[in-house]
Amino acid sequence: MNFRTRFAPSPTGPLHLGHAFSATLAYDLAASSGGEFLLRIEDIDQTRARAHWEQQIYDDLAWLGLTWPKPVMRQSERLPVYQTALDRLWNLGLLYPCTCNRKDIAAAASAPQEGVPLHGPDGIIYPGTCRALLKQRDPEQYNRPLDIPLRLDIAKAARMVETRLPAFQELGSGPNGETGLIPLSPEDLSQTIGDVVLARRDMGTSYHLSVVLDDADQGITHVVRGQDLFEATRIHVLLQAVLDLPTPIYVHHRLIRDDTGKRLAKRDDARAISKYQEDGATPNDIRRELGL
Ligand code: GLU
């Protein structure tokens, strides 16, 4: 069976128990399916990525007993791939530059329609200010700016692939127990996600764009990751349809929380894998603690 999964951490802090859970789950699933487990370093945010955190990722995963083919894919080496996809989306008329800052967005979104959610996977749902402005411009006069974030016109993208708007297979579950075949609808995309940023300022890409291109280029068949990314999966599946890329199967898993029920974050050093190691725990102790 063709089964390939991956773990895709960002080298911006220490891996904690939640990362250990995600990586080990993906690794075990690949092993039990006779498949392959790949590692990818998500380091597009060069202001936060650090070489020593990347090294720590390799050390922690190796200590946990995981192995992966080398060399690993590193996003910082793939900027031309992201640029090509942005060119394509731009030429399809699906992107527009956005000059709004956080304050502008919060102010414009402060009078939401009743029954329409205020927040999506990337924070406040963008109210479309710059999209409306662009309509008044002559596109012939307009060159794509390099240093301004680009947003996806999500309603237009959904319309473009409407007749083949895909659903995705969820083998795990979303935060509200969503599982099985999860359909995408244009209304849902517009109302609960909105026009997300696909090229961040000074970065030339974004998590959403890179993850879609990287999963496709690595031939990932099963994406194993935390439930916090379940909603973002709708964006990824839409982009796969627009860019003619295959949609993998998704396995969203429960989140590992601290004693107060809060999801672990990189700053929770106490749960860092290296800390457990220093305190004399074994990889099996970690597996036991995670119920694996
Ligand atoms: N770099 C992302 C993170 O650390 C990974 C997201 C994914 O698995 O798609 O949260």
Side-chain angles (χ1 to χ4, degrees):
M1 181 194 169
N2 177 19
F3 190 114
R4 192 181 277 173
T5 189
R6 49 66 165 183
F7 178 56
S10 303
T12 54
L15 295 188
H16 55 57
L17 270 191
H19 296 108
F21 185 57
S22 216
T24 311
L25 203 61
Y27 184 84
D28 289 358
L29 272 175
S32 64
S33 314
E36 225 182 340
F37 166 84
L38 304 187
L39 179 62
R40 178 168 78 229
I41 299 295
E42 301 216 323
D43 59 350
I44 44 171
D45 189 348
Q46 286 287 310
T47 61
R48 293 174 60 224
R50 296 287 177 274
H52 70 274
W53 291 129
E54 184 173 329
Q55 187 55 49
Q56 184 84 51
I57 289 171
Y58 301 138
D59 295 347
D60 288 348
L61 296 179
W63 179 75
L64 285 169
L66 312 192
T67 56
W68 56 90
K70 295 173 188 78
V72 300
M73 180 181 276
R74 298 170 77 239
Q75 290 187 325
S76 55
E77 292 165 3
R78 289 173 46 77
L79 296 183
V81 174
Y82 308 142
Q83 192 54 51
T84 304
L86 284 172
D87 290 346
R88 183 163 163 197
L89 293 169
W90 178 266
N91 292 333
L92 286 169
L94 295 179
L95 299 179
Y96 62 89
C98 177
T99 50
C100 296
N101 59 30
R102 274 172 210 272
K103 242 172 77 195
D104 299 334
I105 296 173
S110 63
Q113 281 170 270
E114 215 178 316
V116 175
L118 186 61
H119 288 91
D122 286 356
I124 294 182
I125 296 172
Y126 183 60
T129 321
C130 286
R131 175 173 18 89
L133 276 179
L134 195 69
K135 291 226 166 80
Q136 304 159 8
R137 275 191 154 127
D138 176 3
E140 296 291 311
Q141 299 283 313
Y142 200 67
N143 286 325
R144 189 173 121 207
L146 289 178
D147 53 349
I148 295 179
L150 298 176
R151 286 186 184 272
L152 175 70
D153 184 336
I154 206 160
K156 194 168 174 191
R159 274 199 309 278
M160 194 167 276
V161 293
E162 193 154 14
T163 51
R164 53 194 174 93
L165 198 62
F168 68 93
Q169 251 329 314
E170 174 61 62
L171 289 190
S173 67
N176 300 308
E178 302 90 334
T179 193
L181 197 66
I182 313 286
L184 257 60
S185 84
E187 297 74 42
D188 233 28
L189 290 166
S190 303
Q191 292 187 1
T192 66
I193 293 178
D195 292 354
V196 288
V197 171
L198 290 193
R200 289 172 56 184
R201 190 192 303 278
D202 302 331
M203 209 181 277
T205 184
S206 65
Y207 160 65
H208 299 306
L209 182 70
S210 298
V211 82
V212 161
L213 296 166
D214 297 346
D215 283 339
D217 285 351
Q218 287 193 304
I220 302 300
T221 61
H222 292 68
V223 171
V224 179
R225 62 187 180 192
Q227 278 172 346
D228 52 328
L229 290 166
F230 180 79
E231 287 307 326
T233 302
R234 298 182 202 272
I235 307 167
H236 304 168
V237 172
L238 173 66
L239 285 175
Q240 287 151 5
V242 172
L243 294 168
D244 303 307
L245 300 172
T247 291
I249 290 170
Y250 287 88
V251 187
H252 289 94
H253 59 71
R254 69 184 168 90
L255 299 178
I256 304 297
R257 299 181 184 278
D258 67 12
D259 299 336
T260 66
K262 233 175 64 249
R263 179 185 141 208
L264 295 186
K266 288 234 164 89
R267 57 190 172 279
D268 294 322
D269 281 11
R271 304 292 178 118
I273 297 171
S274 51
K275 184 79 175 46
Y276 280 83
Q277 195 179 347
E278 271 164 43
D279 291 348
T282 65
N284 268 336
D285 294 333
I286 304 275
R287 278 185 171 265
R288 216 169 306 117
E289 175 144 0
L290 294 169
L292 287 167

